[in-house]
């Protein structure tokens, strides 16, 4: 006996295809050469040296077709032997149905576990945001007060400019706290737009100090002027800042990180590229999941890339990883003027 493979589009086995097509009708049962439903069916069995064929169904779905070869002596099979095959197939069908139910149950349990984990994340996020709110507000007020005093004495005061950067970072931390709090719920992106080129330039300027500390330089020659794009400032800051920071943290010392932004008639593309070894396959498959890190000491909570994906999903865009030896690229692609339809390209 043997099970026939489900015929493919480029299959040239007419016998296989005809048998499958015949048994797609759930009312059709097993047959042999003597009681074939048609001369054509009997001829197929004779040509393929088969004595009988049996459908294997799981529920209403045709799972496979079992074929019983003709006896080498030319004789047939006893009815008891044919019934034995039917009994075995019923047991196989039962086992496959149990497996299908178990797979569905496991998938449901995984979804439930993920929902519980995200629910716990929401509780932790709410607590974190509450604890950060007052200290950040105090830091911002004090920094702004000193900045205004120094700027009043000397508009070009270097310390005043540094305090301005501190205020920007405090604002960013406040935004990050809000983003983490909003991880378990979508953010609003309706009727808003962002001057993305200036946002990318300012974010890279802020992170350039950290990059230089690690011996990494930025190549921003690929940043083009793209004008205003849909989305919120906080949402795009999360995307741009996290992707640039990720490239800095995982680039070898003395290497160059490339930051690119371009727009065609069809899509907006933002990407970061850093040198270094490729990401292990088991990690690359989960890189956009929450709390996934490579174990590095400065790799953060493992929420950065998952937040990037969440924000781009909300805009109906795509974020992908190009994982090659010596070259790692994170690419964001947002189709121009087509809302959420770009998600259909995932396949």
């Amino acid at each position: 006996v043997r099970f026939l493979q489900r015929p493919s589009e480029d299959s040239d086995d007419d016998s296989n295809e005809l048998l499958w097509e015949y048994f797609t009708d759930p009312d059709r049962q097993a047959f042999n050469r003597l009681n074939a439903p048609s001369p054509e069916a009997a001829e197929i069995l004779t040509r393929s040296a088969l004595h009988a064929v049996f459908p294997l169904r799981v529920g209403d779905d045709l799972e496979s077709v079992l074929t019983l070869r003709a006896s080498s002596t030319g004789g047939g099979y006893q009815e008891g032997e044919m019934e034995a095959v039917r009994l075995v197939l019923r047991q196989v069908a039962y086992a496959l149905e149990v497996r299908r139910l178990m797979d569905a149950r496991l998938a449901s349990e995984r979804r439930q576990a993920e929902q519980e984990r995200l629910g716990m994340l929401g509780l932790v996020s709410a607590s974190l945001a509450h604890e950060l709110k007052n200290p950040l507000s105090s830091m911002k007020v004090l920094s702004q007060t000193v900045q205004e005093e120094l700027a009043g004495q000397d508009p070009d005061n270097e310390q005043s400019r540094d305090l301005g950067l501190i205020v920007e970072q405090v604002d960013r931390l406040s935004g990050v706290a809000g983003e983490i709090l909003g991880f378990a719920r979508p953010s609003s992106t309706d009727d808003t737009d962002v001057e993305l080129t200036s946002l990318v330039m300012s974010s890279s300027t802020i992170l350039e100090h950290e990059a230089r500390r690690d011996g990494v330089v930025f190549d921003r020659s690929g940043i083009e002027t793209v004008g205003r794009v849909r989305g919120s400032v906080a949402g795009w800051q999360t995307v741009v800042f996290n992707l640039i920071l990720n490239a800095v943290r995982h680039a070898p010392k003395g290497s160059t990180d490339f930051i690119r932004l371009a727009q065609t008639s069809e899509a907006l593309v933002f990407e970061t590229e850093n040198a270094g070894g490729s990401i292990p396959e088991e990690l690359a498959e989960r890189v956009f999941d929450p709390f996934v890190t490579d174990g590095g000491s400065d790799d953060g909570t493992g929420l950065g890339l998952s937040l990037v994906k969440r924000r781009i999903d909300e805009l109906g865009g795509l974020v992908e990883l190009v994982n090659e030896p010596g070259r790692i690229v994170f690419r964001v692609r947002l189709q121009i003027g087509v809302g959420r339809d770009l998600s259909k390209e995932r396949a």
Side-chain angles (χ1 to χ4, degrees):
V1 297
R2 72 183 181 93
F3 287 102
L4 295 181
Q5 297 293 326
R6 187 181 298 272
S8 60
E9 293 182 358
D10 57 352
S11 174
D12 56 359
D13 189 342
D14 294 338
S15 300
N16 187 353
E17 188 171 348
L18 287 171
L19 289 173
W20 269 86
E21 183 178 351
Y22 175 80
F23 285 120
T24 53
D25 185 339
D27 295 328
R28 290 175 174 170
Q29 303 300 318
F31 65 88
N32 58 41
R33 282 190 290 182
L34 300 178
N35 66 0
S38 67
E40 183 183 33
E43 193 274 332
I44 289 174
L45 296 191
T46 301
R47 187 174 69 235
S48 304
L50 300 176
H51 177 75
V53 287
F54 304 79
L56 173 60
R57 293 190 173 93
V58 180
D60 294 328
D61 300 327
L62 180 62
E63 190 71 22
S64 187
V65 175
L66 182 139
T67 64
L68 183 64
R69 294 190 64 81
S71 169
S72 59
T73 61
Y77 290 85
Q78 301 297 321
E79 182 58 33
E81 294 171 321
M82 299 290 287
E83 184 60 28
V85 174
R86 293 188 181 94
L87 288 173
V88 170
L89 281 179
R90 281 197 287 270
Q91 292 299 315
V92 172
Y94 174 75
L96 290 174
E97 189 165 9
V98 170
R99 176 183 174 181
R100 182 179 291 181
L101 291 172
M102 290 294 294
D103 287 345
R105 179 178 177 180
L106 287 172
S108 176
E109 290 176 350
R110 290 191 188 101
R111 287 194 297 270
Q112 184 177 355
E114 181 66 15
Q115 290 172 354
E116 291 175 354
R117 185 171 67 160
L118 290 177
M120 182 60 67
L121 174 61
L123 292 175
V124 173
S125 300
S127 175
L128 175 64
H130 177 75
E131 293 298 324
L132 286 177
K133 183 178 179 181
N134 290 335
L136 288 174
S137 297
S138 300
M139 291 168 60
K140 181 176 181 179
V141 170
L142 290 173
S143 298
Q144 285 179 322
T145 300
V146 177
Q147 181 190 21
E148 291 171 359
E149 292 178 356
L150 292 174
Q153 298 172 8
D154 179 6
D156 297 324
N157 188 285
E158 184 176 352
Q159 291 178 322
S160 175
R161 290 196 299 271
D162 291 342
L163 284 168
L165 291 176
I166 291 175
V167 171
E168 288 183 9
Q169 289 304 293
V170 170
D171 285 338
R172 178 184 173 272
L173 285 175
S174 298
V176 167
E179 291 292 337
I180 296 176
L181 183 61
F183 180 80
R185 65 175 185 270
S187 66
S188 173
T189 57
D190 297 335
D191 302 324
T192 57
D193 53 53
V194 180
E195 218 308 313
L196 191 55
T197 301
S198 60
L199 189 149
V200 171
M201 292 297 293
S202 62
S203 296
S204 63
T205 299
I206 292 171
L207 287 170
E208 197 166 23
H209 299 288
E210 181 167 345
R212 288 174 178 170
R213 184 189 65 190
D214 295 333
V216 176
V217 297
F218 286 163
D219 184 330
R220 285 178 282 223
S221 59
I223 299 177
E224 301 177 4
T225 301
V226 299
R228 305 192 72 85
V229 299
R230 70 178 184 274
S232 66
V233 173
W236 274 110
Q237 279 181 333
T238 295
V239 172
V240 172
F241 204 93
N242 276 296
L243 288 181
I244 297 176
L245 182 60
N246 181 76
V248 170
R249 287 178 169 173
H250 296 89
K253 291 184 180 297
S255 63
T256 300
D257 282 354
F258 296 89
I259 304 171
R260 306 183 183 99
L261 177 66
Q263 180 174 318
T264 67
S265 59
E266 297 181 352
L268 172 81
V269 178
F270 170 72
E271 65 181 30
T272 61
E273 177 182 338
N274 63 273
S278 60
I279 301 173
E281 192 62 32
E282 63 275 10
L283 181 61
E285 293 175 354
R286 302 173 53 241
V287 72
F288 294 111
D289 292 346
F291 306 114
V292 173
T293 75
D294 62 3
S297 59
D298 60 352
D299 201 38
T301 62
L303 281 176
L305 292 177
S306 62
L307 282 168
V308 168
K309 185 177 185 303
R310 172 65 65 90
R311 296 300 165 246
I312 296 303
D313 282 349
E314 290 167 357
L315 290 169
L318 293 175
V319 56
E320 60 181 347
L321 165 65
V322 178
N323 186 29
E324 301 174 348
R327 177 176 179 263
I328 298 172
V329 179
F330 283 92
R331 180 178 297 124
V332 169
R333 185 169 182 263
L334 185 66
Q335 193 166 352
I336 301 300
V338 185
R340 298 180 182 273
D341 289 348
L342 190 63
S343 59
K344 295 179 181 178
E345 296 185 11
R346 293 183 190 281

